[in-house]
């Protein structure tokens, strides 16, 4: 097995903690000697041990001496005290011969220090193995650390001709139960599930995670410029909800606060919530990934504001002709004005398909931010 | 290797003659003994030898005695004199021990006679091996034989939100050069490339096969209810073109005839060419497969008339918001009114994706027609 092979195996292990580590990144660690996997570990819930510590613990439990081994870790080991002691100190104490790292710590304040400490302790370090795959595991964490806003994906469900509803509004159901259940995996991995007041008023959705077991449900959030939301909306189920608005209504805000709802007043742009201000607020509140499930209006506004990093599109094998389009935006004058995405994955979710695409420039910016630190 | 394995190998061989056999079906034949492939053949251009004869010739050239072998053939061997003598007689003369057939001859007049003759000659026959895959190789031939009309697919190129052009009409180019070249493979396999007068007037397209070598270019055709087409249109390049219209204009028809264009006057339905009459006319003229590349108006009319058997959709990774939809149709009142397709294939044609879907009921009807003959 090459370094790349081991790192891919580590990334598969990191995927098993996809839903639970936020706001920490998903990280996995393998301890290998002579082509044999000796121990492994992945980050637990925030406040719990990091991947390196989990792997070292497993090695200790198995009576394995880590000295002289090669350690694979999908993110540069931390070198500072957070809620847990620095992993790099634990690694140095264990004396591996070599540490292989997929990507550097994206936090510009600490980046490179983990590597430097390992090298200073006489441990060989190889960096940038499977960097893109490692970034894909934690785009939200990297986005929050480097550009101060979360990574946001837009979930859309439409017919092959891009209709999310018939002209008369009927939309239940264009995609099938499997596609809808699949969407809950994406809700589960996010930190915030965001929708708009239009969807809440029309469909009164729960917006929670179903069909998927999760110990760390995302926070729910609504963009509601005029604070029109019904206090009886089903989304207010006692779990935390954020409502982004432009108006001040202390009485309604207080009544909502009693139901675990935080009303966040933000500046307006063209009479609607400033979506960039919202993204910065989310970043300041430790939000890595935002899952958007909204109508054409909010989806289009987010896209037009360049806030959309990824598209998650479920397509049903039907053509509806007339109907409601996926995103409502100002008409483009030139095709070259369209934001450029790239397909990254297609999957069959019978009878529908799922197409994933990410914003080329947004992705490149994250990747460059990582690379500049080396 | 099982019978299924050999038949799949035969079907891959049939695929190599995808572009050349029309109006005959694409057929391949393998001659196998003790798990060893001895000889193989595929149907050549119409009037040339069929697959079984090609395989028997190769066996003879190699000095191989076919007696006692197993013969795999993707379509029931013909039992009647066409432009070539019956294959079943050639097979009987060669004395294989067993013949394995993917699907019966879809022609109700001859179906089963090939099998009956083989059995009467003491040869074991196994039928219906990989039938669906064999049907997928020749949906047009089976459609023409059983329902008297060709198999028709609609090629569409759109953004992820189903826009084939911006609101201002700009459409060049939403999908990339690879997707456009890929589309020429589908033109090449068809018997007719069909478009509408709107597209001819707006884009003046050539509608010929480029990017793909073909010895049997498809006929080009235009739906042009009022016979408005310009006599200088580039589509009139001296190769055969059919123009379907509802009006009679002998002078224009004569001038076009001098340029190898046949004007076909058909009945009207709601003031437009009766598309069912057109489909029957195409079937009567030995057309197996129709490739449609048209605007939203003709595409929608074909879909609404239930003439569309398959969708071939190239999707670009962009969202355009406002713009022209893929198919213009009467608005549906219920989602249950939408015709039901099923995805059969997805492929990356970078930077775009290709999604293929086929009409569930149309496909079932062909499959049942084949099965009823056994």
């Amino acid at each position: 097995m090459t370094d790349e092979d081991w790192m891919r195996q580590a990334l598969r292990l990191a995927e098993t903690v996809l839903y639970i580590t936020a706001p920490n990144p998903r990280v996995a660690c393998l301890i290998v000697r002579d082509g044999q996997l000796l121990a492994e570990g992945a980050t637990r819930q925030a406040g719990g041990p990091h991947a390196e510590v989990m792997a070292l613990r497993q090695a200790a439990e198995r009576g394995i001496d880590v000295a002289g081994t090669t350690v694979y870790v999908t993110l540069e080991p931390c070198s500072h005290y957070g809620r847990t002691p620095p992993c790099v100190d634990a690694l140095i104490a264990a004396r591996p011969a070599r540490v292989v790292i997929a990507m550097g710590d994206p936090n510009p304040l600490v980046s490179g220090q983990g590597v430097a400490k390992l090298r200073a302790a006489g441990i060989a370090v190889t960096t940038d193995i499977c960097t893109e795959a490692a970034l894909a595991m934690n785009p939200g964490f990297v986005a929050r650390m480097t550009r101060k806003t979360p990574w946001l994906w837009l979930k859309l469900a439409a017919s092959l001709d891009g209709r999310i509803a018939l002209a008369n509004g009927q939309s239940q159901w264009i995609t099938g139960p499997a596609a809808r259940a699949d969407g809950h995996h994406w809700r589960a991995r996010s930190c915030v599930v965001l929708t708009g007041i239009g969807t809440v008023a029309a469909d009164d959705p729960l917006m929670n995670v179903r069909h998927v077991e999760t110990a760390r449900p995302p926070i729910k959030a609504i963009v509601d410029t005029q604070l029109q939301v019904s206090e009886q909306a089903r989304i207010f189920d006692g779990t935390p909800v954020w409502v982004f608005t432009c108006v001040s209504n202390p009485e309604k805000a207080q009544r909502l606060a009693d139901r675990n709802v935080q009303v966040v007043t933000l500046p307006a742009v063209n009479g609607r919530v400033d979506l960039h201000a919202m993204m910065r607020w989310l970043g300041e509140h430790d939000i890595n990934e935002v899952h958007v499930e909204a109508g054409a209006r909010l989806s289009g506004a987010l896209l037009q504001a360049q806030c959309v990093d990824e598209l998650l599109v479920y397509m049903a094998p039907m053509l509806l002709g007339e109907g409601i389009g996926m995103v409502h935006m100002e008409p483009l004058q030139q095709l070259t004005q369209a934001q450029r995405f790239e397909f990254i994955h297609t999957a069959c979710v019978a009878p529908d398909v799922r197409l994933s695409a990410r914003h080329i420039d947004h992705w490149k910016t994250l990747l460059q931010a990582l690379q500049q630190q080396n």
Side-chain angles (χ1 to χ4, degrees), chain A:
Chain A
M1 302 246 292
T2 64
D3 280 350
E4 281 78 10
D5 294 332
W6 285 115
M7 195 58 84
R8 269 190 283 273
Q9 182 166 332
L11 285 164
R12 284 194 293 276
L13 178 60
E15 208 165 339
T16 63
V17 295
L18 198 62
Y19 303 157
I20 64 167
T21 67
N24 286 341
R26 300 115 182 170
V27 184
C29 177
L30 306 183
I31 301 173
V32 172
R33 183 173 8 229
D34 299 333
Q36 295 283 321
L37 177 65
L38 304 181
E40 61 181 20
T43 311
R44 308 304 303 165
Q45 281 182 260
H50 290 184
E52 299 88 331
V53 171
M54 292 293 287
L56 290 171
R57 273 190 203 169
Q58 191 181 73
E61 282 163 18
R62 293 176 177 178
I64 290 162
D65 182 3
V66 175
T69 59
T70 300
V71 172
Y72 294 88
V73 57
T74 61
L75 177 71
E76 181 181 1
C78 65
S79 57
H80 62 290
Y81 276 87
R83 284 196 263 184
T84 60
C87 293
V88 76
D89 295 347
L91 274 178
I92 288 169
R95 310 285 329 147
R98 192 162 77 98
V99 174
V100 182
I101 297 169
M103 70 176 202
D105 187 320
N107 187 336
L109 298 176
V110 296
S111 168
Q113 294 180 20
V115 170
K117 280 184 94 169
L118 290 170
R119 285 191 172 134
I123 298 169
V125 178
T126 304
T127 58
D128 296 309
I129 300 297
C130 304
T131 307
E132 281 219 49
L135 174 56
M137 182 62 60
N138 288 298
F141 179 73
V142 176
R144 178 164 67 87
M145 288 294 142
T146 59
R147 70 184 195 195
K148 309 298 176 199
T149 58
W151 184 258
L152 180 147
W153 60 82
L154 199 54
K155 185 238 177 189
L156 297 158
S159 64
L160 250 181
D161 56 340
R163 302 308 189 181
I164 61 169
L166 294 179
N168 65 16
Q170 188 178 110
S171 66
Q172 293 183 343
W173 294 105
I174 290 174
T175 52
R180 298 200 299 278
D182 190 80
H184 281 257
H185 285 274
W186 295 84
R187 286 188 184 184
R189 67 171 281 177
S190 75
C191 303
V192 160
V193 173
L194 179 75
T195 190
I197 181 62
T199 297
V200 173
D203 302 340
D204 199 14
L206 294 167
M207 284 293 165
N208 57 4
V209 177
R210 300 183 298 277
H211 313 293
V212 181
E213 203 65 52
T214 178
R216 185 207 52 80
I219 293 166
K220 297 178 284 187
I222 310 170
V223 177
D224 180 11
T225 301
Q226 300 300 325
L227 197 56
Q228 296 167 309
V229 67
S230 158
E231 293 171 39
Q232 274 65 55
R234 299 201 299 164
I235 196 170
F236 303 133
D237 60 359
T239 65
V241 182
W242 292 335
V243 177
F244 299 106
T245 185
C246 293
V247 300
S248 174
N249 183 338
E251 296 78 21
K252 186 167 184 177
Q254 183 54 55
R255 287 195 304 273
L256 286 169
D258 294 342
R259 306 188 60 187
N260 209 6
V261 179
Q262 182 180 355
V263 175
V264 180
T265 305
L266 293 173
V269 167
N270 296 325
R272 290 161 72 177
V273 167
D274 178 347
L275 296 171
H276 293 119
M278 179 186 76
M279 292 294 278
R280 285 191 299 271
W281 190 94
L282 290 167
E284 287 159 10
H285 288 77
D286 280 353
I287 298 304
N288 291 341
E289 297 178 350
V290 179
H291 171 104
V292 178
E293 231 171 293
R297 204 176 128 93
L298 179 57
S299 295
L302 284 162
L303 190 69
Q304 208 160 292
Q306 311 248 8
C307 293
V308 177
D309 299 304
E310 209 168 303
L311 303 170
L312 176 69
V313 183
Y314 295 89
M315 295 223 127
M318 56 172 85
L319 296 174
L320 297 177
E322 306 309 295
I324 297 170
M326 282 158 85
V327 286
H328 184 72
M329 295 195 295
E330 294 290 306
L332 303 179
Q333 297 308 311
Q334 297 285 336
L335 283 168
T336 50
Q337 295 171 319
Q339 291 174 62
R340 291 169 63 237
F341 289 79
E342 61 185 344
F343 286 114
I344 51 175
H345 198 251
T346 69
C348 181
V349 189
D352 308 308
V353 294
R354 184 184 69 213
L355 303 174
S356 307
R358 74 185 159 214
H359 196 291
I360 294 176
D361 291 339
H362 294 185
W363 179 256
K364 273 192 192 148
T365 301
L366 294 195
L367 207 53
Q368 283 165 0
L370 286 179
Q371 284 159 353
Q372 277 162 8
Q373 289 161 20
N374 295 308

